[in-house]
């Protein structure tokens, strides 16, 4: 993803990284190409995105980069810009980093669901004050290869409901660039074969391959000689840097002549492990040594299970060998030759991966039965989450022990680790491997169930290790066995975000990830934080307020019918009906009633509101009957079209209404000039109808545009319903004064008179 190429310019190398693997600089510079031998630079970039104020995970803008293998230095160039308008204020942008999966962030400080294991994200704050542009760089030495994710967002959003297009907005734009320094000349350390190295001024880059089923890795620096004398002033950096947690090992060897050693229990399986050796004797000193890597193999005790699908010959399937073979119809434990000799160190439990949907995977033992846990060796289940598309959900692990098999003195301990399993249950229960802090679980006679939730698990092979331990009589424990039922799922959202949330699938280019959008005051990663949540009584009260307030439209309906404005009465009835059921469907939680789809009800509600304002203003203009109904129809069509283009745009509804107001004002001014008196002519009409109606409409518009927030929406919007309907009832004009169909107003000298029909606008001479 992005584009790759050599770094621009050739005016020197990057500044050295000091004070640990991570360095934050105040301002970014264009990174020149590297002059060091055996190193190349590459540049990756992505299109900028407009930032949003944070309200839920979908508010953050996610970027996904892929770090090449053998990278020794990674630099993030973060550029933030904003508009120069008056609406732009000082802001602080927060940028989160994580390797292997999207960062788990919590800007609102909400609670996570129970049994959730979360590491605080590594974050950088980029201020934007006087200058409209800000640059920041972040250096990471020896980064882990693979996917790296960057998420950026503005501070938490305010509760005020802003109408689109009414107030000026400010655009904050964020763009990250990734520059890497990669090794092309690297030495390979073969197991048990010394590799001579000489350090002068530049570090030496090595790597060793760790095969599957490796229990321990021992690294040694032998035969160290510094400037012709015995000693080993060498700093050895082992493993990659992963954010937010970092388990990189740094071994500083002293001047003693004895070998310098580093023991790594459960190193990451089936991958290259990078080593960097640096001299500590100065720029002109020379250090010579031999690097030796010793691997301790682990013999797996593989489980052979019966077939899932039996053929006509009634064959079984050997899960460890992968070949069909005749056998009994029961589970059989057979010993695989494995790697090396010695005792078995784990029992390999075959696991099937079933993809059920997007970011939805079900893991279960191959025989669909429970896992047998013993005390001599841990039982290990491998969960393949290494497809690159599995890190956007939540991994849920549920364990349950058989009630009759687990006793008071026995304990089933489990560890969930990435890259390699935890195998040292006999010496420690901290679930720590060489470069990963695992997630512990336990089952006992008092607690036979254990649950674990991991949001956005890293892209890797995950291993669930289980072993039986006894605190008192170890001999009885050796003969005991406990069957543990495992429920292992990768789901987009935990419990589908519950009753007060909606699980939404998000996309960044081809990468999919999920997040919960909460409602009714519920918050948190899974919409389980009820600190600001509404009670059921509050939800019902809000629903009743928003729906029953629409009954105020009965007033303009009655006035319209009494004055023979039947078309206007139909529009008000339409608005009342769909506004009532739209707000009944729009409510969160339990007080919800949807007679049609939500989108249909919303569209009809917006259309009815705009049309009601349109016909009310045109009715006040007292146009000719045919012209009035033509404008009714044309205005309704224009409003329907504008709502289809942008339903939230305030000017799509305000524009036609202002046009109707111009028509009404023009007709009133024309009548004032034609009649030589103010229109309407009655002071009672102004005092008891027009001024109260205009005041109610003005207050309603002020509330609708500037006073609504997420907290007071239920009663402010209900007041808007009442004021809108009440103003319509007051502003509707009275019916025309009754008159004879033919009124003769002028007599001519020749005994003729001019008669006019007030309804049909026709004239005749009689």
């Amino acid at each position: 993803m992005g584009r790759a190429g050599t770094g621009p310019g050739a005016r020197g190398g990057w500044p050295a990284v000091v004070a640990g693997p991570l360095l934050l600089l105040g301002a970014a510079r264009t990174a020149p190409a590297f002059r060091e031998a055996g190193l190349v630079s590459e540049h990756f970039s992505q299109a900028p995105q407009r930032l949003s104020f944070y309200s839920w995970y979908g508010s953050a803008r996610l970027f996904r980069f892929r770090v090449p293998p053998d990278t020794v230095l990674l630099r993030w160039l973060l550029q933030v810009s904003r508009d120069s308008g008056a609406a732009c204020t000082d802001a602080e942008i927060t940028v989160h980093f994580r390797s292997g999966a999207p960062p788990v962030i919590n800007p609102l400080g909400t609670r996570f669901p129970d049994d959730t294991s979360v590491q605080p994200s590594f974050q950088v704050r980029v201020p934007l004050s006087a200058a409209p542009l800000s640059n920041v760089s972040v250096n990471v030495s020896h980064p882990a290869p693979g996917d790296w994710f960057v998420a950026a967002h503005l501070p938490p959003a305010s509760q005020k409901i802003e109408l689109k297009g009414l107030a000026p907005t400010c655009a904050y734009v964020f763009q990250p660039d990734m520059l890497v320094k990669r090794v092309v000349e690297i030495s390979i350390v073969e197991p048990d074969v010394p590799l001579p190295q000489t350090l002068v001024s530049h570090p030496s880059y090595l790597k060793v391959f760790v095969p599957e089923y490796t229990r321990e890795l021992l690294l040694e620096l032998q035969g160290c000689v510094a400037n012709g004398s015995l000693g080993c002033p060498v700093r050895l950096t082992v493993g990659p840097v992963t954010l937010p947690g970092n388990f990189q090992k740094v071994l500083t060897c002293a001047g003693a002549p004895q070998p310098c050693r580093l023991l790594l229990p459960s190193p990451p399986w089936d991958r290259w492990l990078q080593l960097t050796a640096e001299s500590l004797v100065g720029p002109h000193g020379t250090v010579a040594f031999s690097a030796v890597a010793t691997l301790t193999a682990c013999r797996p005790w593989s489980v052979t299970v019966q077939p899932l699908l039996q053929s006509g010959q009634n064959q079984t399937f050997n899960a460890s060998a992968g070949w069909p073979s005749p056998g009994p119809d029961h589970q059989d434990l057979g010993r695989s030759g494995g790697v090396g000799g010695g005792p078995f160190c784990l029992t390999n439990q075959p696991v099937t991966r079933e993809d059920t949907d997007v970011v939805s995977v079900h893991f279960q033992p191959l025989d669909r039965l429970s896992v047998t846990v013993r005390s001599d060796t841990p039982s290990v289940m491998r969960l393949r989450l290494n497809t690159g598309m599995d890190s956007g959900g939540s991994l849920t692990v549920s364990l349950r022990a058989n009630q009759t098999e687990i006793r008071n003195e026995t304990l089933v301990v489990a560890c969930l680790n990435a890259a390699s399993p935890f195998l040292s249950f006999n010496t420690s229960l901290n679930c720590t491997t060489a470069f990963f802090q695992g997630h512990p679980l336990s089952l006992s006679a008092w607690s036979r169930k254990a649950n674990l939730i991991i949001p956005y698990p890293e892209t890797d092979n995950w291993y669930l290790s289980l072993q039986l331990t006894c605190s008192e009589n170890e001999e009885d424990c050796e003969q005991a066995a406990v069957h543990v039922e495992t429920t292992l799922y990768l789901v987009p959202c935990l419990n589908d975000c519950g009753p007060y949330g909606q699980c939404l699938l998000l996309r960044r280019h081809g990468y999919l990830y999920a997040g919960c959008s909460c409602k009714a005051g519920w918050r948190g990663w899974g919409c389980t934080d009820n600190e600001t949540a509404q009670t059921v009584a509050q939800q019902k009260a809000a629903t009743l307020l928003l729906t029953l307030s629409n009954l105020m439209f009965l007033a303009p309906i009655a006035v319209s019918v009494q004055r023979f404005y039947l078309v206007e009465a139909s529009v008000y009835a339409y608005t009342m009906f769909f506004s009532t059921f739209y707000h009944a469907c729009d409510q969160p939680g339990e007080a919800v009633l949807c007679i049609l789809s939500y989108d249909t009800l919303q569209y009809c509600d917006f259309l009815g509101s705009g049309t009601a304002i349109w016909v009310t203003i045109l009715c006040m203009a007292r146009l000719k009957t045919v012209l009035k109904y033509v404008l009714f129809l044309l205005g309704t069509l224009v409003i329907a079209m504008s709502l289809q283009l942008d339903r939230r745009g305030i000017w799509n509804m305000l524009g036609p209404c202002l046009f109707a107001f111009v028509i009404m004002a023009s007709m009133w001014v024309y009548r004032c000039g034609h009649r030589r008196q103010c229109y309407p002519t009655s002071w009672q009409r102004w005092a008891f109808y027009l001024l109260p109606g205009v005041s109610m409409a003005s207050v309603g518009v002020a509330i609708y545009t500037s006073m609504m927030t997420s907290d007071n929406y239920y009663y402010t919007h209900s007041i808007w319903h009442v004021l809108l309907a009440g103003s319509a009832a007051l502003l509707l004009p009275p019916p025309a004064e009754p008159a004879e169909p033919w009124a003769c107003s002028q007599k001519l000298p020749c005994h003729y008179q001019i008669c006019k029909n007030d309804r049909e606008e026709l004239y005749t001479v009689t």
Side-chain angles (χ1 to χ4, degrees):
M1 59 195 315
R3 60 178 185 274
T6 57
R11 294 173 292 179
W14 284 1
V17 177
V18 296
L22 197 63
L23 176 65
L24 174 63
L25 304 179
R29 297 193 302 241
T30 302
F34 303 109
R35 291 181 175 178
E36 299 180 41
L39 301 177
V40 296
S41 63
E42 294 178 337
H43 179 205
F44 300 84
S45 181
Q46 290 190 15
Q49 294 191 64
R50 181 171 176 172
L51 298 180
S52 299
F53 290 94
Y54 189 88
S55 59
W56 66 293
Y57 198 88
S59 306
R61 297 295 175 258
L62 189 68
F63 298 83
R64 182 190 185 194
F65 291 88
R66 182 171 292 275
V67 176
D70 303 328
T71 297
V72 295
L73 185 59
L74 163 65
R75 166 173 283 187
W76 298 105
L77 302 177
L78 311 178
Q79 178 175 309
V80 183
S81 61
R82 71 178 183 189
D83 295 339
S84 57
C88 296
T89 59
D90 296 346
E92 188 177 58
I93 289 84
T94 306
V95 185
H96 306 262
F97 300 87
R98 190 185 180 192
S99 64
V104 180
I105 62 179
N106 189 18
L108 302 179
T110 57
R111 296 196 304 266
F112 284 86
D114 295 336
D115 305 316
T116 302
S117 178
V118 179
Q119 283 186 330
S121 65
F122 175 80
Q123 61 185 28
V124 174
R125 300 187 184 275
V126 183
L128 268 180
S129 54
L133 180 66
S134 180
N135 295 326
V136 170
S137 66
V138 177
N139 287 359
V140 181
S141 62
H142 306 287
D147 290 337
W148 279 72
F149 292 84
V150 179
H153 60 83
L154 290 168
S158 64
Q159 297 295 320
K160 189 176 184 298
I161 299 177
E162 299 285 351
L163 296 180
K164 183 178 179 181
L166 186 62
T169 59
C170 181
Y172 298 87
V173 180
F174 175 77
Q175 180 178 15
D177 288 352
M178 184 182 74
L179 292 90
V180 298
K181 179 179 180 181
R182 186 168 58 86
V183 182
V184 293
E185 296 180 3
I186 189 167
S187 302
I188 297 178
V189 181
E190 298 183 4
D192 301 320
V193 178
L195 179 65
Q197 293 289 308
T198 301
L199 299 179
V200 184
S201 59
H202 297 293
S204 179
Y205 300 104
L206 317 170
K207 65 179 180 180
V208 58
F209 185 77
V210 180
E212 198 172 8
Y213 299 111
T214 299
R215 183 162 192 166
E216 292 178 343
L217 171 62
L218 177 63
L219 299 174
E220 285 187 278
L221 302 184
Q222 300 177 351
C224 289
V225 177
N227 293 329
S229 60
L230 295 178
C232 202
V234 176
R235 181 170 59 236
L236 183 65
T237 303
V238 182
V241 169
T242 58
L243 297 178
N246 179 28
F247 289 86
Q248 186 184 57
K249 310 298 181 184
V250 179
L251 176 65
T252 302
C253 300
Q258 66 267 18
C260 189
R261 299 177 178 178
L262 178 63
L263 181 63
L264 299 175
S266 297
W269 288 358
D270 199 23
R271 69 193 61 190
W272 291 96
L273 187 62
Q274 186 174 338
L275 317 174
T276 303
E278 301 173 89
S279 173
L280 300 178
V281 297
H284 303 291
T286 301
V287 179
F289 63 91
S290 295
V292 181
T294 303
L295 300 174
T296 302
C298 173
R299 296 186 63 198
W301 184 358
S302 298
V303 175
T304 304
V305 298
Q306 66 180 13
L308 298 179
L309 294 176
Q310 295 185 356
S311 62
Q313 288 79 16
N314 194 22
Q315 292 180 332
T316 61
F317 186 82
N318 190 309
S320 60
W323 295 96
S325 60
D329 291 337
H330 57 81
Q331 178 173 318
D332 176 48
L333 295 179
R335 298 201 173 192
S336 172
V339 187
F344 299 100
C345 66
L346 64 88
T347 301
N348 186 23
Q349 298 283 345
V351 177
T352 61
R353 171 190 165 115
E354 179 185 3
D355 293 85
T356 57
D357 205 339
V358 179
V359 202
S360 299
V361 181
H362 180 207
F363 296 98
Q364 59 183 349
L366 193 60
D367 59 351
R368 304 179 186 272
L369 300 176
S370 58
V371 177
T372 303
V373 182
R374 304 180 185 275
S375 62
D376 51 352
T377 58
S379 300
V380 177
M381 304 174 66
R382 178 166 61 180
L383 313 179
R384 298 183 181 272
L385 296 173
N386 55 355
T387 64
M389 299 300 293
D390 301 325
S391 58
S394 295
L395 178 62
T396 62
V397 177
S398 179
L399 306 179
R400 185 175 64 178
N402 193 316
Q403 184 174 0
T404 60
E405 294 177 344
I406 191 167
R407 293 174 295 180
N408 294 336
E409 68 275 6
T410 59
L411 181 70
V412 176
V413 291
C415 292
L416 183 64
N417 295 71
S420 61
F422 179 77
L423 304 175
S424 306
F425 288 101
N426 295 328
T427 59
S428 174
L429 300 178
N430 58 7
C431 295
T432 302
T433 58
F435 301 103
F436 191 84
Q437 174 58 55
H439 307 276
L441 300 97
S442 63
L443 301 173
S444 63
W446 300 275
S447 177
R448 293 184 174 87
K449 294 182 180 180
N451 299 305
L452 176 65
I453 303 168
I454 301 178
Y456 295 160
E458 292 93 334
T459 298
D460 212 326
N461 285 324
W462 286 72
Y463 296 88
L464 178 62
S465 308
L466 304 98
Q467 188 167 341
L468 185 65
T469 61
C470 295
S471 57
E472 297 179 358
N473 192 347
E474 296 184 359
E475 296 180 357
D476 295 341
C477 192
E478 293 178 358
Q479 305 298 327
V482 177
H483 292 82
V484 177
E485 297 180 4
T486 60
T487 305
L488 310 170
Y489 281 97
L490 177 71
V491 294
C493 303
L494 182 64
N495 295 329
D496 203 22
C497 299
Y500 298 103
Q502 183 179 10
C503 184
L504 299 178
L505 197 62
L506 308 172
R507 182 177 65 87
R508 173 58 179 167
H509 296 316
Y511 179 76
L512 299 176
Y513 59 106
C516 286
S517 177
C518 307
K519 49 190 177 182
W522 291 75
R523 304 187 303 169
W525 191 264
C527 300
T528 55
D529 189 345
N530 61 353
E531 183 178 350
T532 60
Q534 298 177 352
T535 63
V536 177
Q538 290 174 328
Q539 297 174 31
K540 293 180 179 179
T543 303
L544 292 176
L545 274 175
L546 289 170
T547 54
L548 297 183
S549 60
N550 287 284
L551 296 179
M552 188 65 183
F553 277 97
L554 292 175
I557 293 174
V559 173
S560 301
V561 172
Q562 189 267 338
R563 297 177 182 178
F564 296 100
Y565 296 135
L566 300 183
V567 174
E568 290 83 342
S570 302
V571 172
Y572 299 143
Y574 176 93
T575 303
M576 180 183 67
F577 179 84
F578 281 104
S579 179
T580 299
F581 285 100
Y582 163 65
H583 287 292
C585 183
D586 188 42
Q587 297 309 303
E590 300 180 4
V592 180
L593 174 63
C594 296
I595 61 172
L596 295 173
S597 67
Y598 177 83
D599 187 72
T600 301
L601 290 172
Q602 184 187 67
Y603 182 85
C604 293
D605 173 53
F606 289 9
L607 177 62
S609 300
T611 307
I613 300 174
W614 170 260
V615 300
T616 302
I617 299 176
L618 287 182
C619 187
M620 295 172 62
R622 283 190 176 275
L623 300 171
K624 293 182 180 180
T625 304
V626 176
L627 179 60
K628 181 178 73 170
Y629 292 132
V630 169
L631 290 177
F632 279 4
L633 180 59
L634 290 178
T636 303
L637 294 177
V638 170
I639 294 174
M641 178 195 66
S642 62
L643 291 176
Q644 182 64 29
L645 293 176
D646 187 3
R647 196 170 299 179
R648 296 289 182 179
I650 185 63
W651 287 102
N652 292 334
M653 184 181 298
L654 193 59
C657 295
L658 289 178
F659 180 69
F661 181 80
V662 170
I663 294 176
M664 183 199 71
S666 301
M667 294 301 299
W668 283 19
V669 170
Y670 169 75
R671 290 191 177 94
C672 288
H674 183 69
R675 299 184 180 185
R676 306 290 182 177
Q677 58 181 345
C678 183
Y679 182 84
T681 58
S682 173
W683 68 269
Q684 293 92 341
R685 178 67 184 165
W686 283 97
F688 300 113
Y689 295 96
L690 292 181
L691 292 181
V694 171
S695 300
M696 293 178 66
S698 301
V699 173
V701 170
I703 292 176
Y704 186 79
T705 57
S706 60
M707 297 180 60
M708 283 191 188
T709 65
S710 300
D711 295 331
N712 66 13
Y713 172 81
Y714 306 103
Y715 53 86
T716 54
H717 199 78
S718 301
I719 295 174
W720 156 255
H721 287 165
V722 174
L723 294 177
L724 179 64
S727 63
L730 292 174
L731 293 176
L732 283 174
E737 295 182 1
E740 296 293 334
W742 287 98
C744 301
S745 58
Q746 184 177 358
K747 293 185 178 181
L748 299 178
C750 54
H751 304 288
Y752 288 94
Q753 56 186 356
I754 298 178
C755 301
K756 173 186 176 182
N757 189 318
D758 290 329
R759 296 183 181 178
E760 302 295 336
E761 299 282 344
L762 298 178
Y763 294 83
T764 185
V765 178
T766 60

